[in-house]
Amino acid sequence: MRSENNNKRGGVATLSVALQFAGNRLLASLKPAERAILEPSMSSLFLNRGDVLFEPGEDVTQTYFPGPGVVVSLVVTMADGRAVESATIGREGAVGGIVSAGHKPAFSRAAVQIGGTALRIETAALESAKERSSVIRDLFNRYADTLIAQTLQSVACNALHSLEARLCRWLLTTHDRVDSDEIALTQEYLAEMLGVQRTTVSGVARVLQERGLISYSRGRMVILDRAGLERSACECYGSVQDHFRAILPDTRPQNVLDAKTGS
């Protein structure tokens, strides 16, 4: 289902634009002068799980800023219908006309994995804001770098690392973006994101459950041992986090960072 132009989805009213700036770490890092440039062009909406923000080949005319708990996947689909996730975006970033300026055709599909409130801006308006403010331009140029880095790391991860390590990495990145230890997802969806069969994911999830790292039933997964998942995940999780901290140190994209630094 495509995202619609309204301010109320699924019976849930969205928050005001001004309040939502604090819920996205890119936007929250801006000072009032830069916020004043962007805010008039922003609108609030509720994204439902399964909403498609754009398909491959479509002009990317909108840019979305996920709020707390929202997770969007960039998915590449093959000619035979198989698909795999290439990047995951939550409240630390943005989805849309970020890497390429203007109305450029999308290469991947952007699908909402976990729903919630988000902000949206016309990509043309975002480009205009970049021209008006070097601070805004620099922020999104740096974020584009981190998004490319995540995609490159995913290529290496999918080719070289075990499914168990990849699943742990996926759970950690999703856990970072939600406000709960509970993650609502089906094995079918998780299998698509990882590019494997559902039965394969089921077997690996069962192993993680037996080790006390997670519990899983009826499309509901609960993180029981975050530290254990970190030990079981591949190096890719830490590499992407380290790069984000180096390129965008002021946005502090993950809750786990605050827990580790004690600030």
Side-chain angles (χ1 to χ4, degrees):
M1 177 171 55
R2 300 305 305 273
S3 178
E4 299 173 3
N5 297 324
N6 59 7
N7 291 327
K8 191 172 182 181
R9 301 294 303 277
V12 181
T14 57
L15 300 173
S16 71
V17 169
L19 287 174
Q20 283 187 255
F21 264 71
N24 178 276
R25 288 192 168 97
L26 279 182
L27 298 178
S29 70
L30 294 171
K31 294 182 178 179
E34 285 73 41
R35 289 182 56 179
I37 294 173
L38 289 171
E39 192 170 319
S41 300
M42 292 281 192
S43 62
S44 177
L45 76 162
F46 192 89
L47 298 174
N48 287 313
R49 180 179 180 179
D51 281 353
V52 177
L53 306 183
F54 50 78
E55 294 278 9
E58 293 183 351
D59 283 348
V60 182
T61 61
Q62 309 276 350
T63 297
Y64 300 82
F65 296 86
V70 178
V71 178
V72 178
S73 294
L74 298 183
V75 181
V76 177
T77 303
M78 300 293 105
D80 62 3
R82 290 182 299 169
V84 66
E85 182 183 75
S86 61
T88 306
I89 300 163
R91 59 186 169 188
E92 82 290 345
V95 184
I98 300 300
V99 177
S100 60
H103 295 187
K104 302 297 190 296
F107 183 77
S108 62
R109 183 185 203 222
V112 179
Q113 181 185 120
I114 299 176
T117 308
L119 288 174
R120 175 176 57 191
I121 187 173
E122 294 280 345
T123 301
L126 180 59
E127 289 306 306
S128 176
K130 290 180 187 178
E131 293 177 359
R132 293 173 59 188
S133 169
S134 60
V135 173
I136 293 175
R137 183 170 61 252
D138 178 65
L139 176 67
F140 287 104
N141 284 344
R142 287 187 288 139
Y143 175 68
D145 179 279
T146 66
L147 186 58
I148 292 171
Q150 183 188 165
T151 304
L152 292 174
Q153 194 73 43
S154 293
V155 173
C157 186
N158 290 339
L160 300 175
H161 293 148
S162 69
L163 178 59
E164 178 181 313
R166 291 166 53 207
L167 176 56
C168 290
R169 176 200 175 198
W170 190 93
L171 292 173
L172 289 169
T173 59
T174 303
H175 190 221
D176 288 339
R177 295 176 171 104
V178 300
D179 294 319
S180 171
D181 289 335
E182 182 176 324
I183 303 171
L185 52 87
T186 64
Q187 290 186 353
E188 289 81 2
Y189 193 88
L190 191 53
E192 179 181 358
M193 293 302 98
L194 295 170
V196 298
Q197 297 294 320
R198 186 192 64 80
T199 53
T200 306
V201 167
S202 178
V204 175
R206 189 180 307 112
V207 170
L208 297 181
Q209 184 165 257
E210 290 172 352
R211 287 161 53 189
L213 303 182
I214 64 171
S215 66
Y216 183 80
S217 63
R218 297 181 180 179
R220 172 180 170 272
M221 187 169 289
V222 180
I223 306 299
L224 300 177
D225 185 354
R226 165 92 193 192
L229 283 177
E230 290 181 350
R231 289 191 296 270
S232 299
C234 55
E235 65 195 77
C236 299
Y237 173 72
S239 296
V240 171
Q241 289 236 32
D242 290 344
H243 187 71
F244 202 116
R245 284 193 289 261
I247 301 300
L248 287 164
D250 297 330
T251 62
R252 303 172 63 84
Q254 313 293 356
N255 280 342
V256 67
L257 303 185
D258 296 336
K260 288 181 177 178
T261 59
S263 58

